[in-house]
Amino acid sequence: DIQMTQSPSSLSVSVGDRVTITCRTSQTVNNYLNWYQQKPGKAPKLLISTASSLQSGVPSRFSGSGSGTEFTLTISNLQPDDFATYYCQQSYNSPRMYTFGQGTKLEIK
Amino acid sequence: QLQLQESGPGLVKSSETLTLTCNVSGGSVSSSTHYWGWIRQSPGKGLEWIGNSYYTGASYNNPSLKSRLSTSVDTSNNQFSLKLTSVTAADTAVYFCARGQTYSGRPFDYWGQGILVTVSS
């Protein structure tokens, strides 16, 4: 099975900050890596697919990069609406297996 | 706009079978470019993919659930379902249904709002 290591698990940040979240996989997933945002009591929302493709309607302050086994989600100029938990997800073995990272919770400093 | 809505019991007794249904509107479960998946989230925990099904009848389940899980698509009613047998307290979670793409990174692009299922003893 492909293991996911997402870091950090939580981050205390301020509005206007630049945030970087890292996701590492135990073996290559090429670019089958997706990022989601989840707010309390809500379903996850797809932000980025294929490591770096921003979904329609997602603000351009979100960006993704990486390939192989190391990926990053960057949020520039953090806005109040961005305080949430973020998950990476690999779909390399889709449809037989998917794995999510442990999540990164952004908290207000 | 595609919408997914989970339905089923909010409370299930230990050792019994959990059945959930996801109704799809604004799109078709017979799409050849999408899978129909289930993801769960235990209280305060992360996300766990539990299974996918396809309109052809194919299904793929997380090995961690072994033979307890079955998933299927009902093209006649444009819905898909999950059946989990011999539930325990460890199966208490919010269950989400979602649409999975077969292309472009294969993410889950549309999600239901989720349904909390509590397993009681």
Side-chain angles (χ1 to χ4, degrees):
Chain A
D1 288 1
I2 298 175
Q3 307 302 315
M4 313 282 287
T5 303
Q6 186 176 340
S7 61
S9 57
S10 65
L11 207 49
S12 184
V13 291
S14 301
V15 172
D17 283 354
R18 179 184 178 90
V19 170
T20 299
I21 299 168
T22 298
C23 185
R24 293 184 174 87
T25 59
S26 59
Q27 63 189 75
T28 183
V29 296
N30 289 341
N31 63 349
Y32 290 106
L33 193 288
N34 309 303
W35 291 97
Y36 300 83
Q37 175 193 67
Q38 187 180 33
K39 295 183 178 178
K42 300 293 187 182
K45 173 187 175 182
L46 177 65
L47 298 177
I48 289 171
S49 65
T50 331
S52 60
S53 296
L54 199 66
Q55 297 302 290
S56 174
V58 175
S60 58
R61 62 180 179 273
F62 291 89
S63 63
S65 64
S67 66
T69 63
E70 187 156 338
F71 303 86
T72 59
L73 172 69
T74 300
I75 312 171
S76 59
N77 188 20
L78 197 73
Q79 296 299 298
D81 191 48
D82 301 337
F83 289 94
T85 301
Y86 293 84
Y87 293 92
C88 58
Q89 176 230 351
Q90 68 81 16
S91 50
Y92 182 72
N93 292 319
S94 164
R96 289 176 174 77
M97 190 66 190
Y98 304 75
T99 319
F100 289 88
Q102 298 86 350
T104 296
K105 185 175 182 180
L106 298 189
E107 299 172 313
I108 301 173
K109 186 182 288 184
Chain B
Q1 176 80 346
L2 187 77
Q3 292 187 321
L4 293 83
Q5 178 69 58
E6 304 89 349
S7 61
L11 187 64
V12 183
K13 290 185 177 178
S14 184
S15 80
E16 294 189 342
T17 295
L18 168 65
T19 301
L20 296 175
T21 299
C22 183
N23 187 65
V24 177
S25 58
S28 173
V29 297
S30 298
S31 167
S32 62
T33 54
H34 297 96
Y35 289 98
W36 303 96
W38 293 94
I39 298 100
R40 70 181 181 181
Q41 186 169 37
S42 300
K45 301 295 185 183
L47 300 164
E48 178 187 28
W49 171 78
I50 54 177
N52 273 0
S53 51
Y54 195 52
Y55 79 101
T56 58
S59 63
Y60 308 91
N61 301 327
N62 192 319
S64 69
L65 294 168
K66 298 181 181 177
S67 58
R68 295 198 299 129
L69 178 70
S70 63
T71 57
S72 61
V73 172
D74 179 353
T75 56
S76 299
N77 291 302
N78 212 39
Q79 60 188 24
F80 59 105
S81 62
L82 164 160
K83 187 172 293 188
L84 185 64
T85 62
S86 304
V87 298
T88 71
D91 295 311
T92 292
V94 175
Y95 287 75
F96 297 100
C97 62
R99 187 182 79 167
Q101 294 179 0
T102 62
Y103 53 93
S104 299
R106 308 166 187 162
F108 291 104
D109 58 356
Y110 284 90
W111 295 63
Q113 65 185 23
I115 183 169
L116 174 61
V117 176
T118 302
V119 178
S120 68
S121 55

